[in-house]
Amino acid sequence: MNGFVDQPPMSALRDHGGGIDAARRRWGGARQDWLDLSTGINPVPYPVPVLAPETWTALPDTAAVDALIAAARALWSVPDALKILPTAGASAPIARVPGLRPPGVVCIPTPTYNEHAAAFRACGWTVQTTHGPADATVLVHPNNPDGRLWERSEVPTHGVLVLDESFCDVVPERSLLDVALKRPQTVVLKSFGKFWGLAGARLGFVIGRPDMIDPLRDMIGPWAVSGPALAIGTAALSDTDWADATRRRLSRDALRLDALMVAAGAGLAGGTSLFRLYEVPDAAALQDKLAKAHIWSRRFPYSDTWIRLGLPGTTAHWARLDEALR
């Protein structure tokens, strides 16, 4: 029994991690008192380099955009036949992609990240939540919140395909990006803020064939990414040593978090090395218990037994969580 409950209207499902201000209104404390474990953002971010003054004062020019695209192409081994479009986070293209084709039926297997269904519905699409034939399909890979990795045999061969790889940088060997080379009407989404831990930079990428990327670029418009985000993204995506070390650390910390939660009576239900999903008898009660210690977690409106936690980032944060779970 997974504790799933009847799903409320979509407007009620567009919940996200974060929201510390709302938590403060209920459980008190200053913002700096809270430990936010409700997101899947790397708590040890890439060290921001010193930026040239013109990254702040000048409109982003083509050289800065080209440098970021080159770094992304090298990191993800993107073939030359595919274009890369930097965007203001992954959320910007999620809202725009449904407008690339006339409305039809989109398959978005649930549970998953709720913004995809909201975006397609806003453009007049009908959403089906079971995996099957449709005019478009959205696969979140790894999936949020359960960490499911899709197999190539499960990728539909027809229609629009949105492959959301926002969390795939923790397991780059499992990327399905090359599907876009062989399959028409495919776009692959990449997030910068999660793995590199700099969500405030608002940087993402869309990868696909020119017939998908060119109209999307026109829809998004010029200067979609700020100068500072271009510079930081180029440095971070080029630093493969940092990425390799980070993957090893995240894997160790995910196991450490599992040990803490299992000792507290939780069962592992899935996740990635950036977030862990647990099965507990009463998710609301556990969230309340942690919130009283000013530790914020993530619950889901469709399950009363699932709770998701991100990773603590410091020794003090690990000790706080350990104490709150006792």
Side-chain angles (χ1 to χ4, degrees):
M1 185 70 179
N2 60 15
F4 280 5
V5 297
D6 289 340
Q7 293 195 6
M10 196 64 206
S11 60
L13 286 177
R14 294 184 71 172
D15 64 308
H16 301 90
I20 293 297
D21 289 338
R24 288 176 54 217
R25 287 194 290 271
R26 179 172 177 182
W27 286 280
R31 187 176 182 88
Q32 61 267 26
D33 297 332
W34 280 81
L35 171 58
D36 187 2
L37 301 183
S38 69
T39 73
I41 298 169
N42 184 351
V44 185
Y46 185 79
V48 175
V50 176
L51 302 179
E54 57 266 25
T55 60
W56 297 98
T57 59
L59 283 172
D61 213 337
T62 55
V65 177
D66 290 345
L68 176 64
I69 290 173
R73 190 175 297 279
L75 177 69
W76 293 314
S77 301
V78 180
D80 291 339
L82 299 180
K83 286 191 172 183
I84 302 173
L85 175 63
T87 59
S91 59
I94 285 174
R96 294 291 192 173
V97 164
L100 290 175
R101 296 292 185 270
V105 176
V106 59
C107 170
I108 307 179
T110 56
T112 195
Y113 183 56
N114 58 61
E115 284 297 324
H116 289 287
F120 272 92
R121 282 195 176 98
C123 289
W125 289 72
T126 298
V127 176
Q128 70 178 37
T129 58
T130 55
H131 197 36
D135 302 300
T137 302
V138 177
L139 300 179
V140 181
H141 174 78
N143 190 43
N144 177 11
D146 60 7
R148 174 179 180 174
L149 288 160
W150 294 90
E151 301 297 333
R152 292 179 186 277
S153 60
E154 297 175 294
V155 176
T157 56
H158 301 288
V160 173
L161 173 65
V162 179
L163 192 59
D164 185 344
E165 292 197 344
S166 291
F167 286 101
C168 205
D169 285 299
V170 298
V171 283
E173 70 279 3
R174 297 297 302 272
S175 173
L176 298 176
L177 187 148
D178 63 299
V179 167
L181 188 64
K182 307 168 187 176
R183 185 191 182 285
Q185 300 191 82
T186 298
V187 292
V188 181
L189 306 181
K190 296 282 190 179
S191 171
F192 176 75
K194 296 176 177 65
F195 178 74
W196 283 272
L198 297 171
R202 305 311 306 139
L203 178 61
F205 301 86
V206 191
I207 303 170
R209 295 187 180 190
D211 64 325
M212 298 295 281
I213 299 301
D214 290 344
L216 190 60
R217 177 183 288 108
D218 291 340
M219 293 165 68
I220 290 176
W223 309 302
V225 179
S226 71
L230 292 171
I232 294 167
T234 301
L237 268 58
S238 302
D239 194 341
T240 56
D241 288 342
W242 183 91
D244 290 341
T246 295
R247 291 187 190 98
R248 292 192 294 269
R249 176 184 56 77
L250 291 173
S251 295
R252 292 192 301 268
D253 286 353
L255 293 176
R256 182 179 178 182
L257 183 58
D258 289 347
L260 280 181
M261 291 298 293
V262 169
L268 181 63
T272 72
S273 58
L274 278 171
F275 61 83
R276 311 300 281 169
L277 182 67
Y278 299 103
E279 181 92 23
V280 297
D282 188 337
L286 180 55
Q287 184 177 64
D288 181 73
K289 177 181 179 179
L290 293 174
K292 288 176 180 175
H294 294 161
I295 298 174
W296 195 224
S297 57
R298 177 76 187 279
R299 288 176 51 225
F300 301 91
Y302 47 77
S303 173
D304 54 15
T305 61
W306 275 6
I307 193 165
R308 197 192 73 185
L309 294 177
L311 303 176
T314 68
T315 300
H317 290 166
W318 281 102
R320 278 185 63 183
L321 178 60
D322 189 14
E323 178 65 26
L325 288 170
R326 292 181 185 276

